[in-house]
Amino acid sequence: MTKHDPELSRLFHALADPTRRSILSRLAATPAGVTDLADPTGLRLPTVMRHLSVLEDAGLITSSKDGRVRTCALVPEALEPARSWLDEHRAIWEDRMDRLDAFVMNVMKDSKE
């Protein structure tokens, strides 16, 4: 495990914003055009484009242009590094909590004796 992984940092940065998470949720259903993604946010188009740029830089979405319409699509496998990192840390903390639980149980048992 590396202490600093720029790819993972970009991924978590992209996921940190609620607007970007909302866009990802929308794209989980089906690819969508930029204007379709912008409408529910209430944000101006340049702001939404910046959010889309962050998502694309993190590898979470792809976009294609057909004439004047830019369509974005989710890249679900891009979430795998975050899932792996979280699973790795969950295992570490579950092990620590198990050891703490065993310690507390021993202390309680010893105090009853």
Side-chain angles (χ1 to χ4, degrees):
M1 176 179 78
T2 59
K3 290 191 181 260
H4 178 70
D5 180 354
E7 297 293 321
L8 194 57
S9 295
R10 256 192 301 281
L11 182 59
F12 279 120
H13 169 72
L15 294 172
D17 186 272
T19 300
R20 292 193 285 267
R21 291 192 306 269
S22 174
I23 290 170
L24 290 174
S25 294
R26 166 67 176 82
L27 291 174
T30 186
V34 172
T35 54
D36 294 330
L37 295 170
D39 286 342
T41 67
L43 300 172
R44 296 172 53 98
L45 199 54
T47 304
V48 173
M49 291 297 293
R50 176 67 186 130
H51 283 296
L52 293 173
S53 174
V54 171
L55 291 170
E56 196 161 13
D57 287 347
L60 291 166
I61 66 169
T62 60
S63 65
S64 60
K65 192 168 184 179
D66 184 23
R68 295 175 56 122
V69 177
R70 178 165 296 281
T71 302
C72 298
L74 182 67
V75 180
E77 58 273 10
L79 290 168
E80 188 55 38
R83 175 176 293 146
S84 296
W85 186 88
L86 289 168
D87 288 345
E88 191 175 307
H89 285 271
R90 178 185 298 123
I92 291 168
W93 280 102
E94 285 176 349
D95 181 56
R96 289 177 181 173
M97 294 304 289
D98 289 345
R99 286 185 287 148
L100 177 62
D101 185 48
F103 173 77
V104 169
M105 295 306 282
N106 279 338
V107 168
M108 289 174 59
K109 186 176 110 183
D110 291 345
S111 69
K112 288 182 181 180
E113 294 175 352

